[in-house]
Amino acid sequence: MPKILMLSDITGLGPDYHVGDEAMAEVAIERLGQLVGKENLVLGCASPAQVPETYGIKAFAFYHTPDDELGEMRRKRPLSYLKALATNLYQVLKCDKVVVCGGGNMTSVWTGVLEARLRLLRVANFFKKDIYLVSQTIGPYNESHRKHVDSVLKHAKWIGVRDLNFSHSQISKSVEFALDDACFLEKRHNDYTRDISAKNEPFACVSMRKFGGMDDNAVLRVATVIEKALSSHNVNTVFIPHHAPRGTEGDIKLAHNIKHLWPANRFHLVDPIPLASSLKALTVDSQFVVSMRYHQLIFALSTGIPAVGIYVDDYTEAKLRGSFEALGLKPLVTSIDEVEKNLAPLVTEALESRATFEAAALKIQGNARTTSERPYRLLADATEAPQSIASVKEDTQS
């Protein structure tokens, strides 16, 4: 079996757990674990301590150090610099293939993540290791990064992207479209999420984020409109945070700041954040979803739950619209500037279109799943087959 080095921006339930990144990594680990065995996987991430316990695979520290900081390290801390280079060399030499797992991190927006990955991928190219990217959003890039990405990925075996209209314009090499891997994340309640579901029925799931251009007043304004829309349908609110740096910041801090807008006992914050697969199970139990978070929409749309998205700028609009369009659905989205006018009718339209949402979710379990699984089969040197990876384990045990 090939030995596979995985790169993913995850923590395995560490304090900087990010639901979207973990959802895609959870799918990748499960698929590759079934195909090659988890003993043949090793994952590089900035916070590896909890990865073995959470996902059952080996992990090593892979820090997101930008090139300029690495240059400074070379001058001032040469031993740390040499250790960083040696880690890349050692891990690449031990593997047969390298895969960058899902996310929007291969972009100039996240300089440290991009440049650190490019350095390791250059080493992989030098030693002729096969490179795969799965479930990515590629770009946007500044001109310098674009040249480096084109050079490093020129010989990549597979560049899988999750959007129809953006990533292909960001890179010279051709890309392969497939639905976001989180569409195929198995939903698994644990006792914690099952209890939340039972105590809050009926409920809608809400996810919010204070995006760059939003101030506190904008957050309160949007939250006020959301509360009104949910109250009009007589449902409780289960607030699902997707990222809470240090365990208390980000979405969780935002939730505490808006909770007072809801009547007593009508607002439940999911804290601490459980595994993405458990959050997906919680989403399935909801009546509908209102989200500013892309992956909360993915959890809903891939399971047939009516949903509405709220965006802030052109980039977030593209992501949220894309989540609907990828499944052949009308994009039920609105901007924060028009949320007062549009949210209530959009929620009503979503609920009236429940059958359409359910039909779209059923469709992705056919050819879309096979397309999504293809790069994993190639990584594992597995022959193509019409059955899903999930059935491989069942077949071998029967």
Side-chain angles (χ1 to χ4, degrees):
M1 292 290 184
K3 295 188 180 301
I4 299 172
L5 189 163
M6 308 174 69
L7 294 178
S8 186
D9 190 15
I10 66 171
T11 68
L13 285 182
D16 286 329
Y17 187 91
H18 190 291
V19 169
D21 291 331
E22 302 274 345
M24 291 177 285
E26 195 173 340
V27 172
I29 292 167
E30 185 68 20
R31 286 174 169 178
L32 290 173
Q34 290 179 12
L35 288 166
V36 305
K38 289 188 175 181
E39 68 277 7
N40 290 310
L41 305 178
V42 60
L43 187 141
C45 62
S47 301
Q50 293 184 243
V51 170
E53 179 181 355
T54 302
Y55 296 121
I57 65 172
K58 299 183 290 292
F60 67 95
F62 180 75
Y63 299 115
H64 301 146
T65 308
D67 288 344
D68 57 354
E69 287 186 23
L70 193 71
E72 189 73 8
M73 185 188 299
R74 181 179 183 181
R75 292 186 294 274
K76 296 183 176 180
R77 292 182 291 145
L79 290 180
S80 296
Y81 170 78
L82 290 173
K83 182 180 178 181
L85 296 185
T87 296
N88 282 359
L89 179 63
Y90 175 72
Q91 295 296 342
V92 168
L93 287 175
K94 281 178 39 179
C95 78
D96 299 304
K97 302 181 181 185
V98 178
V99 57
V100 179
C101 300
N105 294 320
M106 293 292 286
T107 168
S108 295
V109 175
W110 310 111
T111 301
V113 180
L114 175 64
E115 292 178 352
R117 289 179 174 182
L118 290 177
R119 288 195 299 270
L120 185 141
L121 295 178
R122 286 191 196 98
V123 177
N125 276 335
F126 182 83
F127 289 103
K128 294 182 169 42
K129 307 289 185 175
D130 290 348
I131 294 172
Y132 291 74
L133 283 77
V134 294
S135 207
Q136 293 290 315
T137 299
I138 302 292
Y141 298 117
N142 61 41
E143 202 53 42
S144 175
H145 282 154
R146 187 184 301 275
K147 291 177 181 177
H148 286 134
V149 170
D150 269 345
S151 174
V152 171
L153 297 184
K154 180 170 58 176
H155 300 297
K157 294 291 184 181
W158 188 273
I159 301 176
V161 302
R162 57 190 182 175
D163 61 278
L164 289 166
N165 301 310
F166 178 73
S167 292
H168 74 277
S169 66
Q170 300 297 305
I171 189 172
S172 297
K173 189 173 174 65
S174 61
V175 300
E176 305 285 343
F177 168 75
L179 293 178
D180 189 296
D181 278 352
C183 286
F184 307 101
L185 177 69
E186 297 298 326
K187 51 188 185 293
R188 299 187 185 95
H189 262 307
N190 57 25
D191 291 341
Y192 170 55
T193 54
R194 190 176 290 108
D195 185 59
I196 292 172
S197 179
K199 289 181 176 178
N200 288 281
E201 291 182 339
F203 65 90
C205 289
V206 171
S207 288
M208 292 181 65
R209 174 185 175 183
K210 187 179 179 182
F211 284 96
M214 296 182 73
D215 58 18
D216 290 339
N217 288 332
V219 170
L220 289 172
R221 181 173 57 82
V222 172
T224 299
V225 177
I226 292 175
E227 188 281 326
K228 184 178 179 181
L230 270 61
S231 293
S232 70
H233 290 279
N234 198 30
V235 293
N236 295 317
T237 296
V238 172
F239 188 99
I240 297 184
H242 276 233
H243 188 45
R246 296 175 294 284
T248 59
E249 299 297 312
D251 296 1
I252 286 180
K253 182 178 180 179
L254 183 154
H256 284 298
N257 289 340
I258 66 171
K259 183 177 180 180
H260 68 278
L261 299 171
W262 271 255
N265 302 318
R266 299 301 296 268
F267 183 98
H268 182 94
L269 168 61
V270 181
D271 180 16
I273 304 175
L275 278 177
S277 49
S278 296
L279 289 178
K280 190 169 186 178
L282 188 58
T283 302
V284 171
D285 289 347
S286 70
Q287 299 299 304
F288 60 94
V289 164
V290 176
S291 181
M292 297 176 70
R293 286 280 190 181
Y294 165 81
H295 271 105
Q296 190 58 42
L297 289 180
I298 290 294
F299 291 169
L301 301 180
S302 63
T303 54
I305 301 299
V308 175
I310 303 172
Y311 61 84
V312 175
D313 52 23
D314 290 345
Y315 176 66
T316 52
E317 179 182 8
K319 286 185 70 175
L320 300 195
R321 283 187 178 276
S323 66
F324 286 85
E325 291 169 347
L327 274 73
L329 292 165
K330 175 184 176 181
L332 301 183
V333 299
T334 184
S335 73
I336 62 169
D337 297 324
E338 297 184 316
V339 69
E340 288 95 342
K341 178 180 68 175
N342 293 336
L343 184 61
L346 283 173
V347 169
T348 299
E349 182 176 355
L351 291 171
E352 291 174 350
S353 305
R354 185 179 295 274
T356 303
F357 281 94
E358 292 172 349
L362 284 174
K363 286 182 181 179
I364 72 172
Q365 300 307 321
N367 290 337
R369 178 183 285 273
T370 302
T371 299
S372 170
E373 292 175 346
R374 188 179 176 204
Y376 294 95
R377 293 187 176 280
L378 295 174
L379 273 161
D381 297 326
T383 56
E384 292 292 327
Q387 65 187 40
S388 71
I389 289 175
S391 66
V392 172
K393 190 175 182 180
E394 297 171 6
D395 290 348
T396 57
Q397 290 178 344
S398 60

